[in-house]
Amino acid sequence: MSVAELKTKLKQVESEAVAALARAQSSQQLEELRLEFLGQKGTLTTVLRGLGLLSKEERPQVGELANLVKERIVNALSARLNELYQIELNQRLAAEAIDITLPGSGHSLGHVHPLTAVTTEITNIFYGMGFTLAEGPELETEYYNFDALNTPPDHPARDEQDTFYTSAGPQVVLRSQTSTVQIRVMEKQKPPVRIISPGRVYRNEEVNARKYPLFHQFEGLLIDRNVTFGQLKGCLNEFIRLFFGKQLKTRFRPDFFPFTEPSAELDSQCPFCLGSGCKTCGHRGWLELLGCGMVDPNVLNGVGIDPEEWSGFAFGMGIDRLTMLKYGVNDIRHFFSSDLRFLQQF
Ligand code: DAH
C-alpha cells in the first residue's frame, strides 16, 4: 500500500472505531470492540503491519498519523468505558434500591413471667437488708427435706399422699419446701448467716384454683448472736411495707413448724381494703402471708452450730400466692398454662 492509501485506511479505521465504541452498550461489548480494533489480530494492528513495507523515508509520514489514530481510539475507548460504568452503576443502584419507607418486619420482645418478676422484686428487697442469695437442688433427700429440719418420721408431710417420692433412690424426694436450703447453707457456712433462697417446690396435691403440684417458695434465714423475735418482726414488717408499697398493720399468730420454736404465721392488713374487708381477703381484712419463727436449737445442733452461742430466725412464703395477691390473679393454673392471653397482661 502507498502512503496515501495507508493514511486513508487509518482514517477509515479511526472513524469506524470511534463510531462503534460510541454505540457500545455494555462494558463487555466494549471489550469485544477493543479486541476487534486494537487486539493482536485487530484492524488497526493489521494496518500498522503495512508500515513495515514502507521505505525509511515514507514510514515517519504515516507513523505520526498511526500514533495519533491509536491514541484517539484508546481515548474513545476509555471515555465510553467511563460512561458505561456510570450508566451500569446507576442501573444497579436503581435495581437494588431499598424502599426505606416500608415498615420493618420487626421482632417482638418477650418479657419476664409474672412469677419471675415478683421473685426478683422480693429478692431485691432482701438484698437491701443485707441478705445474699443461696440455692439448693429440687431433687432432695429425705434428710434435707425432713430429718435435718427436725421433722419426725411419723410427720404427715412425709406421707406419699403429700410428698413426691422418686425412683432415683429410696429416700429421694422432690423437695416440698425451700427450707432444705437452710440446712445446706449452714452445713457449709459458719455463722453469721444471712441468706434468702427462692425456688420451685413440689407437693402431691390435687389441682384446683389455689393448688398446683408445682409452686414456688421464698426462704429466708438469719443466724447471728443474740437474735431476737423483735428483729424478725422488724425485718418482715419492712419487707411488707416495701412489697405492697405502703405501711400495713401486721400480726403474728402462734403456729407450729418443726424447725422453728416459737413459730408464727404472719398476717398483714389487706392492702386492697386496708382491713375493712373485700373479695381478695375473703372479707377478713387480713391476709395470711408466710410462716416464720426462731430457728429450733435441734436444727442448729444438727449442723454443728452451738445454740448457746448462736441463734436465728427463718421465714418461708409462697411466691405464687404473693403474685396472685399483687396482681389480682384468681387461679394459680394461669401461671403454668403458657397462655399468651394471660401472660401478655403483665
Ligand atoms: N417451709 C414452710 C412451709 O413450706 C414455711 C416456713 C415456715 C419456712 C416457717 C420457714 C419457717 O423458714 O421458719 O410451709
Side-chain angles (χ1 to χ4, degrees), residues 177 179 182 203 217 219 257 259-260 291-293 314-316:
Q177 51 186 352
S179 306
Q182 291 187 26
R203 287 187 197 173
Q217 282 190 337
E219 193 79 12
F257 296 100
F259 36 90
T260 40
C292 60
F315 53 88

Side-chain angles (χ1 to χ4, degrees), residues 135-163:
E135 282 180 310
E138 290 170 30
L139 202 57
E140 265 295 7
T141 60
E142 276 193 275
Y143 175 77
Y144 288 101
N145 202 71
F146 298 121
D147 300 286
L149 287 163
N150 200 34
T151 309
D154 59 352
H155 193 282
R158 301 183 78 133
D159 201 284
E160 280 188 40
Q161 302 291 311
D162 294 308
T163 298

Side-chain angles (χ1 to χ4, degrees), residues 28-312:
Q28 198 198 330
Q29 225 182 322
L30 214 53
E31 175 60 11
E32 284 161 14
L33 289 171
R34 190 186 68 80
L35 290 172
E36 186 181 328
F37 291 102
L38 304 172
Q40 293 264 331
K41 292 174 192 157
T43 324
L44 182 66
T45 320
T46 314
V47 176
L48 292 181
R49 276 205 197 102
L51 254 77
L53 302 171
L54 295 175
S55 67
K56 251 189 181 172
E57 296 74 34
E58 289 172 321
R59 217 174 289 156
Q61 296 175 35
V62 185
E64 200 186 343
L65 179 65
N67 284 336
L68 260 176
V69 165
K70 188 171 180 183
E71 199 182 307
R72 289 197 199 116
I73 295 176
V74 168
N75 285 345
L77 180 79
S78 74
R80 186 63 185 153
L81 196 67
N82 273 336
E83 276 172 24
L84 283 177
Y85 173 76
Q86 277 305 324
I87 291 168
E88 284 170 12
L89 182 67
N90 288 339
Q91 280 169 354
R92 256 184 58 201
L93 287 175
E96 293 170 13
I98 302 167
D99 182 355
I100 57 164
T101 64
L102 277 176
S105 51
H107 297 279
S108 58
L109 272 186
H111 60 80
V112 293
H113 191 281
L115 287 175
T116 310
V118 168
T119 304
T120 307
E121 198 179 332
I122 303 173
T123 305
N124 283 336
I125 291 173
F126 284 101
Y127 279 168
M129 292 192 254
F131 286 77
T132 55
L133 192 77
E135 282 180 310
E138 290 170 30
L139 202 57
E140 265 295 7
T141 60
E142 276 193 275
Y143 175 77
Y144 288 101
N145 202 71
F146 298 121
D147 300 286
L149 287 163
N150 200 34
T151 309
D154 59 352
H155 193 282
R158 301 183 78 133
D159 201 284
E160 280 188 40
Q161 302 291 311
D162 294 308
T163 298
F164 288 113
Y165 287 77
T166 75
S167 54
Q171 286 169 332
V172 180
V173 299
L174 287 176
R175 70 176 178 187
S176 63
Q177 51 186 352
T178 46
S179 306
T180 52
V181 185
Q182 291 187 26
I183 306 302
R184 290 193 171 269
V185 168
M186 286 190 289
E187 274 180 349
K188 288 215 184 78
Q189 185 186 333
K190 293 294 132 207
V193 169
R194 211 189 299 186
I195 59 101
I196 44 164
S197 188
R200 290 192 194 100
V201 297
Y202 303 84
R203 287 187 197 173
N204 192 357
E205 269 170 333
E206 223 163 286
V207 179
N208 61 36
R210 298 179 150 266
K211 288 188 167 165
Y212 202 76
L214 154 72
F215 59 104
H216 301 77
Q217 282 190 337
F218 195 97
E219 193 79 12
L221 173 71
L222 181 144
I223 307 287
D224 212 321
R225 290 193 166 88
N226 308 315
V227 178
T228 68
F229 199 93
Q231 289 166 345
L232 168 63
K233 278 175 111 171
C235 174
L236 293 177
N237 283 344
E238 181 64 355
F239 161 69
I240 286 167
R241 184 181 74 82
L242 291 169
F243 184 73
F244 288 110
K246 53 185 118 170
Q247 195 76 52
L248 295 168
K249 280 189 193 140
T250 57
R251 64 182 188 193
F252 289 77
R253 281 180 295 106
D255 203 336
F256 174 80
F257 296 100
F259 36 90
T260 40
E261 183 58 34
S263 303
E265 189 85 22
L266 171 64
D267 297 347
S268 89
Q269 203 181 25
C270 174
F272 303 101
C273 63
L274 297 179
S276 60
C278 66
K279 230 180 125 197
T280 305
C281 60
H283 301 283
R284 283 185 292 263
W286 293 92
L287 296 174
E288 289 177 20
L289 289 186
L290 54 90
C292 60
M294 304 306 289
V295 179
D296 195 298
N298 285 343
V299 173
L300 294 177
N301 273 325
V303 290
I305 294 176
D306 181 4
E308 297 297 322
E309 188 183 353
W310 302 97
S311 51

